[in-house]
Amino acid sequence: MARITAGIGCSHIPVLGFVHDHGRTAEPIFKPAFDGFDWTRRWMREEAKPDVVILVYNDHASAFDMKVIPTFAIGCGESYKPADEGFGPRQVPVVEGHPDLAWHIAQSLILDEFDMTIINEMDVDHGLTVPLTMMYGEVDAWPCKVIPLAVNVVTYPPPSGNRCWALGEAIARAVASFPEDLNVQVWGTGGMSHQLQGPRAGLINREWDNRFLDGLIGESRHLRQIPHVEYLRETGSEGIEMVMWLIMRGALGDNTGILHRHYHVPVSNTALGHIVLEPLAKASAIPAELSDELEAAK
Ligand code: DHB
Ligand code: FE
């Protein structure tokens, strides 16, 4: 059986890809941002070793534009090339897909009433390649297969956080019904607080971001209810990318434990956030009599 063994949240700030590709990660201005991924890179290489990553990300007008705006799209192709984002494509390995699992997930999601767009050919931009770089560093080939799951958070209206969480739950059902023995991770990317344009450009909200990171640990259902307007007001126009982290969190089930966490500001105009979570069995239910007693004792 395929199983989801961990979830990762990670910003996808493009300058980190540029800095990595140009050998500048040890420069004092960038070093603290990269140092926070040392734990994860070792863990990925030596312990976690996922066979497949379902990589929830958003495209930034590299594969889609105003002509086509899928709300949720799943990559079922054999491979995906790094996109040319204006300076030529990044010189990182081609991303290998896992068509068998991807088609299985697409079928399971659609029959579970999530109307996914199916993509067989596309290039992938910093939204997908920067998190891979942060988790694996310099490699000749990416050590895992990747199923890209693209979410529209660029053009209004993006999906609600609640819907994203429910999609994560449906992804977990899909993975659990795939017969091959595969170690699968789900990554939620983008964020954290940032606004790239307009009078509020450069907005960063450490308190809000850290409350969001806190909320992902343990029982996190309250995060489903954060309205779009709160992301926009508190975390800037691009902070809405964080709804994608809720797909990852929804896929991990009711309860999670934390393995690693990193927060650093600023990188470019953006807050950098990173978390590694593992799914935990349900917290043991408190018997009704005892919970009444606890309530009364408050
Ligand atoms: C930048 C772009 C992004 O897509 C993002 O999520 C964060 C930062 C940037 O251009 O700095
Ligand atoms: Fe982005």
Side-chain angles (χ1 to χ4, degrees):
M1 283 303 215
R3 66 214 180 281
I4 295 174
T5 54
I8 294 183
C10 180
S11 307
H12 62 216
I13 309 166
V15 75
L16 293 176
F18 179 89
V19 165
H20 170 269
D21 298 349
H22 292 81
R24 293 173 53 183
T25 58
E27 289 181 14
I29 190 167
F30 300 120
K31 190 172 181 315
F34 282 91
D35 281 354
F37 290 85
D38 287 349
W39 183 91
T40 314
R41 276 195 296 277
R42 188 206 55 76
W43 174 78
M44 289 293 279
R45 200 175 51 241
E46 294 172 17
E47 288 179 51
K49 300 180 188 165
D51 301 307
V52 187
V53 169
I54 300 171
L55 207 161
V56 180
Y57 79 111
N58 70 286
D59 177 77
H60 303 74
S62 302
F64 315 125
D65 56 23
M66 290 304 282
K67 283 189 272 188
V68 183
I69 307 172
T71 300
F72 294 122
I74 183 165
C76 294
E78 295 278 353
S79 63
Y80 310 91
K81 289 200 306 293
D84 184 341
E85 300 182 55
F87 302 94
R90 288 186 65 206
Q91 298 300 303
V92 291
V94 165
V95 175
E96 301 292 335
H98 194 302
D100 285 351
L101 178 59
W103 276 104
H104 170 85
I105 293 173
Q107 171 176 314
S108 178
L109 292 178
I110 291 167
L111 299 183
D112 212 354
E113 302 179 353
F114 286 85
D115 306 317
M116 306 298 291
T117 298
I118 293 171
I119 311 262
N120 287 313
E121 271 181 41
M122 67 173 168
D123 293 346
V124 287
D125 71 12
H126 66 270
L128 187 137
T129 62
V130 166
L132 281 172
T133 292
M134 300 314 285
M135 256 38 94
Y136 287 119
E138 183 75 31
V139 287
D140 292 333
W142 300 118
C144 61
K145 304 282 170 99
V146 174
I147 298 179
L149 199 148
V151 181
N152 168 42
V153 288
V154 168
T155 304
Y156 188 83
S160 69
N162 189 47
R163 187 67 175 155
C164 286
W165 183 294
L167 177 61
E169 292 177 321
I171 289 170
R173 289 191 287 275
V175 170
S177 62
F178 190 68
E180 202 181 318
D181 186 21
L182 289 175
N183 172 355
V184 179
Q185 290 185 351
V186 182
W187 297 3
T189 67
M192 299 193 85
S193 53
H194 63 302
Q195 173 144 345
L196 299 177
Q197 71 288 303
R200 297 204 310 163
L203 180 146
I204 285 179
N205 188 339
R206 289 170 189 260
E207 290 72 27
W208 198 99
D209 287 342
N210 278 290
R211 266 205 310 282
F212 187 80
L213 291 171
D214 292 341
L216 293 165
I217 306 161
E219 299 193 356
S220 313
R221 293 191 160 263
H222 59 287
L223 300 179
R224 299 177 75 144
Q225 306 312 331
I226 301 170
H228 283 154
V229 68
E230 181 174 337
Y231 288 102
L232 296 178
R233 187 183 61 233
E234 300 296 330
T235 75
S237 50
E238 279 70 47
I240 194 69
E241 289 179 343
M242 278 183 275
V243 294
M244 295 186 289
W245 295 44
L246 298 186
I247 298 178
M248 173 275 286
R249 182 59 194 83
L252 297 182
D254 288 339
N255 200 12
T256 62
I258 180 163
L259 297 175
H260 179 66
R261 172 173 174 163
H262 171 47
Y263 185 78
H264 177 75
V265 293
V267 179
S268 161
N269 269 343
T270 308
L272 167 69
H274 169 45
I275 199 162
V276 183
L277 298 166
E278 60 179 350
L280 293 182
K282 263 193 180 128
S284 56
I286 302 176
E289 321 83 69
L290 186 54
S291 85
D292 289 348
E293 236 174 84
L294 288 172
E295 248 340 278
K298 272 188 188 163

